[in-house]
Amino acid sequence: MNNPINNDNSSTVTDKTQDVAVASAEGAAASAAAGEPIIRFEKVVKKFGEVTVLDELDFEVRKGEKVTIIGPSGSGKSTVLRILMTLENINDGVIYVTGKPLWHEEKNGELVPAGEAHLREMRKEMGMVFQQFNLFPHMTVRRNVTEAPVQVLKLSKEEANERADKYLELVGLSDQSDKFPSQLSGGQQQRVAIARALAMHPNIMLFDEPTSSLDPELVGEVLNVIQRLAEEHDLTMLLVTHEMQFAKQISDRVCFFDKGKIVEQGAPDDVLTHPQEPRTQEFLKSFIEQH
Ligand SMILES: Nc1ncnc2c1ncn2[C@@H]1O[C@H](COP(=O)(O)OP(=O)(O)OP(=O)(O)O)[C@@H](O)[C@H]1O
């Protein structure tokens, strides 16, 4: 896993931390009054080499909110999720998750780049479902779900098995627990991946184009599971998808990203049916033409 201190870009994180510590203390006081968001990006910059992928991004998600990110290829959508999951670090700015800095630690009233132990703790707040399932191929379905609760959360095998039973039932796969991933369809594998993420009891679920590597006839079963989660659970959900109809159904808010910034955001009907910004209109028009 990346450690910001060992990363090529770490100097930019360190240089700005004092400024950011002051600014974020002020920001924290202001937002506490308005009800604390569970995720907050403050002027986050992410670069790959010379390319700026997130451009001083300000972005918030409130507890229990279901937020969908849409936007053209390369606009930084997946990068937002990967940064939250601590798979990519940031070059500048600060991110708060459940009120704590994600990529920084507070030491003597200042924010300094976080160490691995802090990142490991913060990661427990989030579960992520990837486009490519990322199941362990040599483990049964049940073991895929119990592995992290046992290894990371140090649950007993019995407790982890109880969680596996519960979440495999929730995704409709109780009868597949002894199979290996290669014996399942793509839709079933993705549902195992959802059960695996839920078994860690995260506060926040991140979905990165969860249906885009599935055959069209398998998309519905995965979307149904995600929709049920959205409707029946108090989870905070952040979803990157090209399934516009689905985004409309499950989201409290849709954010249109372009060039590493939020161009437009609001209620799904407003953004997807009556977009105000020319770039959003253009994107949706070409999207409709292609689908
Ligand atoms: N590890 C990496 N190294 C170099 N460049 C990267 C890396 N990851 C992403 N990028 C680049 O960063 C930009 C944003 O990528 P990102 O995956 O966040 O876009 P996206 O909006 O999710 O696009 P898509 O809809 O195609 O998945 C792209 O130009 C991509 O090529």
Side-chain angles (χ1 to χ4, degrees), residues 153-183:
L153 302 181
K154 308 294 178 201
L155 295 194
S156 68
K157 283 205 172 129
E158 197 184 13
E159 288 168 315
N161 272 320
E162 274 172 27
R163 286 198 186 182
D165 289 340
K166 177 175 173 185
Y167 294 109
L168 286 172
E169 187 181 349
L170 192 145
V171 300
L173 291 174
S174 297
D175 53 348
Q176 307 292 325
S177 62
D178 294 328
K179 293 206 172 144
F180 287 89
S182 61
Q183 296 172 292

Side-chain angles (χ1 to χ4, degrees), residues 60-80:
E60 282 188 359
V61 178
R62 301 203 162 268
K63 191 166 186 304
E65 207 181 8
K66 317 314 181 213
V67 176
T68 301
I69 301 178
I70 61 166
S73 184
S75 56
K77 307 181 298 294
S78 297
T79 301
V80 166

Side-chain angles (χ1 to χ4, degrees), residues 48 51 53 71-80 88 208-209 240 242:
F48 287 112
V51 181
V53 175
S73 184
S75 56
K77 307 181 298 294
S78 297
T79 301
V80 166
E88 299 283 355
D208 190 7
E209 300 192 34
V240 172
H242 294 288

